[in-house]
Amino acid sequence: MLKQLLRKVFFDNACSLCNCQLQREKYICLKCEAKLEKMSNLKKRGDLYYLYYYTDVKKIIFDLKFKNRKGVSESLSKYVEDSIREIIKKEKIDTVISVPVSQKRILERGYNQVDELLKSANINYENIKRLKNTKQMYKLKDRKAREANVNQAFFIEGDYSQKNILIVDDIVTTGSTLKEIKKEFLEKKKSNKVIFFTISVVRDYFK
């Protein structure tokens, strides 16, 4: 009760989906949790698995990444866990990889939002390195600019030869980040195949 009162006084106490004032410690109201569950069926297009369209969960992703609300990941954890375990079984995945953020982003927000999602979902995962402090992708509207932004931005240690890899991200817009990481695994690490899972995807990605 005290924790909830302090949050009302010093922090934003609005639901991370509908913006209503919360009457509990979580970051999403009961009505919106029910909405998330209803929309949470696992979807697939090509080599990309996803849960939601970005427009349906835009504020949740924004709060998780830019408002220091890493507790939002707990409300998504069940759907993330169920989905990833289903993909692991179906695709015979050997290793789950979290898409890394730059050191600059870590210093700004204190955490990698994808790591928080995977931790909340109790999924074992491995990290790779982001070498460049890339620009935030949502600020780059041109596809070529996005591709140039992440070109040679990642470094992968370890042996992933002939492994089936699942790369996890929070949002896919043009897919430039995932394509660059996929190239690293297939060309440099000689992985067998690379599959993607994301919480949300921009509808234009499929055009």
Side-chain angles (χ1 to χ4, degrees):
M1 192 69 178
L2 178 59
K3 183 179 177 182
Q4 185 177 345
L5 179 61
L6 289 172
R7 201 171 86 179
K8 283 185 177 180
V9 173
F10 295 106
F11 302 101
D12 181 8
N13 195 48
C15 170
S16 283
L17 193 57
C18 72
N19 214 38
C20 74
Q21 288 300 300
L22 292 163
Q23 302 301 317
R24 59 184 194 150
E25 290 185 1
K26 291 188 176 182
Y27 289 106
I28 297 176
C29 69
L30 287 170
K31 183 178 179 180
C32 286
E33 282 201 345
K35 182 179 179 181
L36 283 175
E37 183 172 7
K38 187 176 181 180
M39 296 188 297
S40 67
N41 57 304
L42 184 62
K43 309 160 190 70
K44 185 188 180 189
R45 291 274 198 100
D47 57 5
L48 174 67
Y49 288 88
Y50 61 101
L51 284 177
Y52 309 106
Y53 288 110
Y54 180 57
T55 49
D56 294 327
V57 292
K58 182 177 181 179
K59 191 172 184 298
I60 290 177
I61 300 298
F62 183 86
D63 283 5
L64 177 62
K65 294 175 76 166
F66 303 113
K67 292 186 68 176
N68 200 32
R69 281 188 157 194
K70 63 181 179 180
V72 169
S73 61
E74 296 174 9
S75 296
L76 297 171
S77 61
K78 179 182 184 300
Y79 317 122
V80 172
E81 180 176 9
D82 290 348
S83 297
I84 290 180
R85 296 205 184 283
E86 181 180 338
I87 297 168
I88 289 173
K89 184 177 180 180
K90 184 176 180 180
E91 301 286 351
K92 296 181 173 57
I93 297 298
D94 297 300
T95 308
V96 177
I97 298 292
S98 171
V99 170
V101 297
S102 67
Q103 190 60 34
K104 181 180 179 182
R105 300 287 174 265
I106 288 290
L107 291 173
E108 288 173 351
R109 70 182 67 133
Y111 58 90
N112 176 347
Q113 69 279 358
V114 182
D115 286 358
E116 294 304 317
L117 288 164
L118 290 168
K119 288 174 187 175
S120 294
N122 296 309
I123 298 294
N124 293 324
Y125 67 96
E126 296 181 11
N127 290 111
I128 61 176
K129 295 180 180 179
R130 186 182 287 253
L131 300 176
K132 294 162 56 178
N133 285 321
T134 52
K135 297 177 181 178
Q136 293 173 332
M137 291 296 245
Y138 75 92
K139 293 182 178 179
L140 302 174
K141 306 303 181 183
D142 180 74
R143 183 182 294 270
K144 288 186 177 180
R146 288 173 179 266
E147 291 175 353
N149 190 43
V150 294
N151 183 43
Q152 297 184 337
F154 305 98
F155 177 71
I156 303 170
E157 295 180 299
D159 181 11
Y160 294 96
S161 176
Q162 300 305 307
K163 297 290 182 68
N164 296 331
I165 308 297
L166 176 64
I167 299 172
V168 179
D169 207 352
D170 58 333
I171 175 174
V172 171
T173 48
T174 65
S176 298
T177 297
L178 300 186
K179 288 174 184 175
E180 183 66 20
I181 297 175
K182 180 178 182 177
K183 184 175 72 172
E184 290 287 318
F185 273 105
L186 293 180
E187 295 182 4
K188 295 185 179 179
K189 292 299 176 177
K190 308 303 179 185
S191 299
N192 182 50
K193 70 176 177 180
V194 177
I195 301 295
F196 308 120
F197 169 73
T198 184
I199 301 298
S200 63
V201 62
V202 174
R203 291 178 188 270
D204 285 350
Y205 172 78
F206 299 119
K207 291 183 178 180

